[in-house]
Amino acid sequence: MLDKKKLLDTTNKTFCMIPWTHLSSWPDGRILTCCMTDSDDAMGNLKDMTFEEAWNCEQQRQLRKNMLEGKASKLCSRCYEQERHGVKNTRNWANRKLNHHWDVVESTKEDGTVDKVNLPYIDFRFSNLCNFRCRTCGPDLSSGWYDDHHKMWQGATQKKFIRPYKDEKSFWKVVEPYIDDLEEIYFAGGEPLMMDEHYRILKRLVEKKMFHVRLQYNTNFSNIIYKDINVLDEWDKFETVEIGASLDGSFKRGEYLRKGQVWDQVLENRKQVKERCPRAFFFLATCVNVFNCFHVSDFHIDWIKKGLVGHHSLLNPLQSPEHLRIQILPTEMKDKLAEKWRKAQAWMVENTKADHRRYESLISYLYETDRTNLQDRWYDITNRLDKIRNENWRDIFPELHELEDNIKLQAKLKK
C-alpha cells in the first residue's frame, strides 16, 4: 500500500499527480507529460501515436516509477527550479486539486503501467494560431511570428500554421473520448479565444450540461468576441472560470512585449469581464523577463489599487529562451532590482491580506545563477528584431540603458 500522506507531503518535491491524471500536446502534435515539460522531451507525436499509446509509453512508466520511489526526473526540472525559489507551480496545484484520483496511483504496476487511461485534466494545444508576436514567444506557439522568424533566421523551414491533426474529424476522434470524464481543461495556444476548437468544446460541454468543468485559460486577452460568439456569454454558464491574462506590462511596455496588443482594448475587455462575468476569477499571468523586471511590480500594484485584480496574480520567472532571463543582468542592476522588489513585497504585505512572498521568490531566482554570458545574445537578438519591427527598446525601457552600457564596457575590455 502506497503512503499517500508521505507522497503528497509538501516537503516531498519529487511526487506529482500529473502522470496519473493528465497529458498535454503542443500545436505540432508533440505529446508531453505536462506544459512544464521541455518541448524537446516529447514522448511522441499525435501524428503517429495516440494518447492511449502515450499513456503507458516507456517515458511515462519510468516517470511514475521515479515519483513513487522518490527519485528526481529530468522531465520535471523546470518545476524543481521554480520550487527551489518558493515559486508555486503546476506540481503544487495538481497535488492539491487532483489527489482524489489516488486510486489510480494505487493501481500502478511494478513497471509503472496504469491500465486505464485517466484524463480528468487536459491541455491540448489545437494549433499555433495567434494574432500576437510576443518577445518571449516564437513560431512554434504563434503563427504571427512567421514573417519575423524568417527575416531573423534565413532559411528557416517553419510552417506558418501548425496543427496536430489533419482535419476536424481527426481532432474530434482524439478529444471526444475524454469529454465525459473532464473535470478541468486548460486552454492555451496560440491564442485559444480565436480557435474554432475552443468554442466547439464549450458548445459540447453546454449541450451535456457539464457546467461543473473548470475552465482555465492562458490568453493574450485581446479578443472576447469570435465570429458571432461573445465568450463572456459562454463563461457565465460555468461554475468556475479562471482567466490568466498574459499581460507583461502596461501601456507602451506591454504593447512592445506583446506585439499586437492595444492597451486600450485590454482595459475595455477587463471592464467587460468585471461587469458581465463577476464570478470569473481574473488574474495576471505575467512572464517576468529582462525587459519588464523593473516595471512589473509597479504594474501589478497599480492594477491592485484600481481594483482590476486581487493579490493572486502570478509572477512567473521566464526560463526559456535563456537570453531573456533576469539572471543575465549585471550584479549592480540585480542589487537595484532586488531592492525595488523588497519594497514591492513590503507594500503587498501591508496592503493585502496575503502572506505575499512572490517577490522574495523572484529575488532568490535572480541571484541563483550568473548568466551574464548571455548579455551579448540578448543585445544582438533584441536589436535585430527591433530593426525588423521598426522599434527601439531604448525608448520603451530607459531603465535598461545601464545594461547596454555594461555590454559595451565588457566589449571594450575584451579587446
Side-chain angles (χ1 to χ4, degrees), residues 288-290 293 324-329 341 362 365-366:
V288 182
N289 57 79
V290 68
C293 56
L324 294 181
R325 287 188 178 215
I326 55 178
Q327 295 159 337
I328 77 164
L329 294 173
W341 281 347
L362 283 175
Y365 179 82
L366 175 67

Side-chain angles (χ1 to χ4, degrees), residues 331-383:
T331 301
E332 296 79 5
M333 291 186 71
K334 286 183 178 179
D335 293 344
K336 291 178 182 178
L337 181 57
E339 181 59 27
K340 183 178 180 67
W341 281 347
R342 291 187 187 98
K343 291 179 180 178
Q345 180 161 299
W347 186 93
M348 294 292 294
V349 171
E350 182 179 350
N351 292 277
T352 72
K353 297 179 180 179
D355 180 16
H356 198 285
R357 298 182 180 178
R358 290 185 179 88
Y359 291 104
E360 180 181 307
S361 299
L362 283 175
I363 292 170
S364 174
Y365 179 82
L366 175 67
Y367 284 108
E368 182 190 44
T369 306
D370 180 355
R371 298 182 187 270
T372 52
N373 63 302
L374 295 174
Q375 289 178 3
D376 289 341
R377 181 168 176 78
W378 169 79
Y379 195 60
D380 175 58
I381 291 177
T382 298
N383 288 327

Side-chain angles (χ1 to χ4, degrees), residues 380-391:
D380 175 58
I381 291 177
T382 298
N383 288 327
R384 287 167 61 194
L385 192 53
D386 271 358
K387 186 175 181 179
I388 290 170
R389 296 182 176 181
N390 194 29
E391 295 177 330

Side-chain angles (χ1 to χ4, degrees), residues 153-182:
W153 313 106
Q154 298 298 324
T157 58
Q158 178 80 47
K159 293 182 179 179
K160 184 171 185 176
F161 294 105
I162 305 171
R163 295 183 184 276
Y165 47 86
K166 296 179 181 179
D167 50 42
E168 193 168 341
K169 183 178 179 180
S170 300
F171 161 72
W172 278 104
K173 186 177 179 180
V174 170
V175 174
E176 190 78 44
Y178 307 110
I179 293 288
D180 287 345
D181 294 324
L182 272 180

Side-chain angles (χ1 to χ4, degrees), residues 298-311:
D298 298 331
F299 168 43
H300 276 215
I301 290 173
D302 178 58
W303 270 45
I304 291 172
K305 288 179 177 179
K306 291 176 178 176
L308 296 174
V309 290
H311 62 268

